[in-house]
């Protein structure tokens, strides 16, 4: 069994990292194209049909159970930090539905013999620290001996059925608000190449370990019509899902989209993940560009986010209240990025 001084860096044991490991949306759609959805249980009020963030089961008139799962390979080399990021990301889907987390289960796959038990314990401890802070203690889980390190959670939450935040409720005339800046995937690519600066690394960790708790306060708020979290499919991918679900068109003003300064600099130098190209290939048929975008601009909009921000669609009169909720939860980078229009479902970038 290796010790922590001789074992390889966690990121070197994985072919990708974080939510960049997700299957491309078009590949996933093809795989699932001939598979039936849920079998029509009246209490299963959200299933995979709308590509929403979690499944939802109505328990009674006032309570619905939100259930989701998320796991991935390391995005950083520090094991405790990897655990924290993975748990934060997994819980994000519960918050994106407007629910309050209640408990979670751990998903663990580790290359036994390549990393030490001490490292594995640190990963689990990192995840546990986040789950406890979110009020979703880890009550158990499952582990296997795997070729790559894998960690994540099954997360459960509760919400009033009438206060659910779905990704399909956006309305024409709504304003779009993004809760965190883009660029996490670019930072992770720079980390793997050994070229990330200390300040940029600190910025990445701060963002990926910040829980999307604003979702709880946004649930049921007057004028808030839809929400999702931006993760592995990139900003354009998740907005496209929102537009398809609601049957409206999204308009994105690129100069308004918040981007980490370091990530923009790295993107302009050609640093990107392999997933950004796959993400663009998956959405390009439903995206129109009012002007030619540079490679860096396109990579940023398609950059796979790990533990990314909430994307909220709300009425214009609710914008200041929504931004106030984000700020009260420490999400000071939240910003208006565009709007919804009564056009064919898709995204227009201006």
């Amino acid at each position: 069994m290796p010790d922590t001084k001789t074992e390889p860096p966690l990121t070197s044991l994985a072919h990708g990292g974080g939510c960049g490991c997700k299957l491309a949306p078009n590949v996933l759609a093809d795989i699932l194209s001939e598979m039936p959805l849920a079998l029509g249980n009246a209490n299963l009020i959200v299933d995979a049909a709308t590509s929403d963030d979690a499944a939802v089961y109505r328990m009674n008139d006032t309570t619905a159970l939100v259930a989701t799962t998320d796991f991935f390979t390391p995005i950083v080399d520090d094991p405790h930090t990897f655990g924290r990021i993975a748990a934060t990301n997994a819980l994000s889907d519960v918050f994106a539905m407007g629910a309050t987390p209640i408990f979670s289960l751990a998903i663990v796959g580790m290359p036994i013999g390549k990393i030490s038990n001490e490292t594995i314990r640190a990963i689990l401890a990192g995840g546990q620290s986040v789950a406890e802070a979110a009020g979703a203690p880890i009550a158990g889980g499952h582990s296997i001996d795997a070729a790559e390190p894998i960690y994540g959670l099954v997360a459960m939450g509760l919400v009033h059925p009438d206060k659910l935040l779905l990704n399909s409720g956006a309305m024409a005339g709504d304003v779009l608000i993004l809760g965190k800046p883009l660029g996490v995937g670019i930072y992770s690519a720079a980390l793997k190449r050994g070229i990330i600066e200390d300040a940029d690394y600190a910025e990445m960790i701060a963002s990926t370990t910040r829980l999307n708790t604003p979702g709880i306060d946004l649930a049921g708020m007057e004028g808030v019509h839809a929400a999702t979290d931006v993760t592995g499919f990139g900003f354009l991918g998740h907005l496209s899902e929102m537009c398809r679900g609601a049957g409206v068109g999204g308009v994105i003003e690129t100069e308004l989209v918040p981007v980490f300064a370091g990530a923009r600099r790295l993107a302009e130098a050609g640093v990107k993940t392999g997933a950004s190209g796959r993400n663009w290939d998956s959405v390009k048929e439903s995206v129109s560009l009012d002007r030619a975008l540079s490679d860096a601009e396109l990579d940023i909009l398609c950059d796979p986010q790990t533990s990314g921000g909430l994307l909220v669609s709300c009425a214009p009169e609710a914008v200041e209240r929504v931004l106030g909720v984000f700020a009260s939860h420490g999400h000071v980078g939240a910003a208006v990025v565009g709007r919804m229009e009564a056009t064919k479902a898709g995204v227009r970038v201006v």
Side-chain angles (χ1 to χ4, degrees), residues 168-175 223-226 246 248-249 313-315 339-342:
S168 56
M171 299 181 181
D174 276 359
V175 174
V224 175
H225 299 144
V248 295
S313 183
C314 67
R339 61 189 183 276
M340 290 295 199
E341 294 184 339

Side-chain angles (χ1 to χ4, degrees), residues 154-349:
V154 174
M156 305 285 186
L158 297 177
V159 66
H160 193 292
D162 296 338
K163 294 184 178 181
L164 272 171
L165 292 175
L166 305 179
N167 68 359
S168 56
M171 299 181 181
D174 276 359
V175 174
L176 291 168
I177 296 173
L178 179 62
K180 296 181 184 180
L182 302 179
V184 169
I186 294 165
Y187 275 160
S188 68
L191 172 65
K192 200 154 189 177
R193 290 171 54 177
I195 59 173
I196 193 169
E197 296 182 4
D198 290 347
D200 294 340
Y201 178 78
E203 192 169 55
M204 179 180 76
I205 302 307
S207 179
T208 54
T209 58
R210 182 174 297 118
L211 290 162
N212 276 324
T213 49
I216 298 173
D217 289 345
L218 294 174
M221 179 181 287
E222 185 177 356
V224 175
H225 299 144
T228 190
D229 61 338
V230 178
T231 56
F233 296 159
F235 177 61
L236 289 182
H238 290 282
L239 175 57
S240 294
E241 288 182 339
M242 181 180 280
C243 291
R244 282 197 302 273
V248 295
V251 179
I252 295 304
E253 299 182 45
T254 51
E255 72 276 9
L256 298 181
V257 177
V259 181
F260 291 119
R264 189 185 297 278
R265 183 185 67 252
L266 287 162
E268 290 171 350
V271 177
K272 61 180 179 179
T273 70
S276 62
R278 297 194 297 272
N279 285 342
W280 173 242
D281 287 340
S282 296
V283 300
K284 62 185 179 182
E285 298 303 322
S286 62
V287 176
S288 62
L289 306 177
D290 278 18
R291 64 176 180 84
L293 298 182
S294 68
D295 290 344
E297 288 177 310
L298 195 57
D299 286 333
I300 288 168
L301 293 176
C302 296
D303 187 48
Q305 302 305 287
T306 298
S307 191
L310 296 179
L311 178 61
V312 178
S313 183
C314 67
E317 59 269 23
V319 168
E320 291 305 316
R321 284 184 284 118
V322 171
L323 289 174
V325 167
F326 275 112
S328 70
H329 286 259
H331 291 244
V332 294
V336 171
V337 296
R339 61 189 183 276
M340 290 295 199
E341 294 184 339
T343 58
K344 179 181 177 181
V347 179
R348 182 163 62 92
V349 181

Side-chain angles (χ1 to χ4, degrees), residues 67-93:
T68 182
T69 183
D70 209 308
F71 54 90
F72 48 59
T73 53
I75 187 175
V76 294
D77 290 318
D78 180 73
H80 192 270
T81 303
F82 168 42
R84 291 172 62 212
I85 294 171
T88 305
N89 181 77
L91 288 162
S92 181
D93 286 335

Side-chain angles (χ1 to χ4, degrees), residues 119-150:
T119 292
I120 297 171
R121 280 195 295 269
I123 294 170
L124 302 185
Q128 184 178 36
S129 69
V130 167
E132 292 284 348
I138 297 175
H142 186 64
S143 59
I144 63 169
D145 187 350
E148 298 179 300
I150 297 169

